[in-house]
Amino acid sequence: MSKPVKSTPCELCLSRKFSMFSELGEEHLCNISDNKNFISHKKGQILYYENTKPLGVFCVNSGVVKIFKTASNGKEQIIRLAQKGDFVGYTAMIAEEAYTTTATIVEDARICFVPKEVFLKVLSEDNNFHRRLTRSLCHDLGLMENQLTDATQKSIRERLALSLLKLGDSYGVDGGDKQRLDITLTREEIAGIVGTATETVIRLLSEFKKDRLIDLQGKKIILLDRKGLARLSDFYG
């Protein structure tokens, strides 16, 4: 069950430096801090459902949030994974539309909820924040275009290798060409990121391990050869 916890003032929040709130002036920062709700969520809890109306914006303080769409066959297509400093649910709110996705907690999270009127006041009065949000929206659109291109032009093997590299960029620890992914995803969730069947992901991960591209420790994945994965994914970014 989600529960309110003692709120950290925005000006003291360690995650704020990763968010678009990082450069807000004191007046707006205090207004957000005074009106937000700081809530602790457990793994598996739903943050919001597809087709419901947004009432505000979620800012991730810690943990991981999965944003996904559910296909007619019941399978999830994961759009993105949000982590500390990320905003969740703001595009639907700004568009004044219902959510087109569902958001659920992947790893225990602490999340601030900022009411719609408070967020929109900052957006309308702070030009710098408005520019940063616009850039973020354009960036997200570009990522979605790349995902669509990858889905049509890359094989499942290439998409899995690329997805592992991206997870390493966001959640990799130890550094270098060898990285442990500091996030626990089910094989179904990895399949939801790649856009394929769970059985295919299980088989390909086993093949990647055999080829010494990765190692598997339970649900944890260690990237042993990022350069090899990059060659396999045909990705040279």
Side-chain angles (χ1 to χ4, degrees):
M1 181 177 180
S2 302
K3 61 179 181 178
V5 291
K6 186 176 180 181
S7 178
T8 301
C10 288
E11 58 268 24
L12 301 178
C13 177
L14 297 178
S15 297
R16 183 167 63 88
K17 66 180 180 179
F18 301 105
S19 84
M20 286 182 283
F21 285 152
S22 60
E23 298 178 10
L24 281 187
E26 184 178 354
E27 179 184 351
H28 288 311
L29 204 60
C30 288
N31 187 34
I32 290 172
S33 193
D34 289 343
N35 289 281
K36 71 180 182 180
N37 291 312
F38 191 36
I39 301 174
S40 177
H41 298 267
K42 291 294 184 183
K43 179 178 179 178
Q45 290 182 324
I46 299 294
L47 203 58
Y48 63 77
Y49 288 95
E50 187 174 348
N51 295 321
T52 57
K53 184 180 179 181
L55 299 176
V57 173
F58 300 92
C59 185
V60 182
N61 178 269
S62 64
V64 180
V65 180
K66 174 177 67 177
I67 295 98
F68 65 95
K69 291 184 72 68
T70 303
S72 56
N73 60 6
K75 290 187 177 181
E76 295 179 0
Q77 176 65 55
I78 296 178
I79 308 301
R80 70 182 180 110
L81 297 171
Q83 56 184 326
K84 64 180 178 182
D86 287 342
F87 288 169
V88 177
Y90 68 98
T91 52
M93 188 200 69
I94 292 173
E96 297 186 347
E97 297 176 347
Y99 291 119
T100 58
T101 57
T102 298
T104 188
I105 309 300
V106 174
E107 292 186 350
D108 290 359
R110 291 190 170 193
I111 297 174
C112 291
F113 176 77
V114 181
K116 177 178 179 180
E117 61 275 10
V118 176
F119 187 86
L120 292 181
K121 177 178 172 63
V122 176
L123 186 61
S124 65
E125 296 180 359
D126 190 313
N127 291 332
N128 184 48
F129 178 67
H130 190 283
R131 283 194 296 271
R132 296 187 73 185
L133 193 71
T134 302
R135 284 200 303 269
S136 179
L137 285 167
C138 293
H139 176 70
D140 288 346
L141 180 60
L143 290 178
M144 291 181 67
E145 290 173 345
N146 288 338
Q147 284 180 330
L148 181 60
T149 301
D150 290 342
T152 56
Q153 297 185 359
K154 289 184 181 293
S155 69
I156 296 172
R157 181 184 292 270
E158 290 171 333
R159 297 206 305 270
L160 177 58
L162 181 58
S163 296
L164 291 175
L165 287 172
K166 289 180 177 179
L167 287 170
D169 291 339
S170 297
Y171 303 100
V173 294
D174 302 333
D177 201 45
K178 179 179 178 180
Q179 285 185 315
R180 176 173 57 86
L181 300 186
D182 191 25
I183 182 173
T184 302
L185 298 171
T186 66
R187 299 302 184 249
E188 290 83 1
E189 286 170 333
I190 295 175
I193 293 173
V194 176
T196 188
T198 304
E199 296 78 10
T200 303
V201 162
I202 293 172
R203 175 177 56 82
L204 288 176
L205 287 176
S206 179
E207 292 179 8
F208 285 7
K209 180 179 179 180
K210 183 179 179 181
D211 294 338
R212 298 197 56 77
L213 294 169
I214 66 171
D215 192 17
L216 302 173
Q217 296 179 356
K219 291 183 179 179
K220 289 288 187 180
I221 298 175
I222 296 93
L223 308 186
L224 298 178
D225 185 1
R226 282 186 58 95
K227 291 179 182 177
L229 287 168
R231 286 192 296 271
L232 180 59
S233 69
D234 192 30
F235 174 68
Y236 300 98

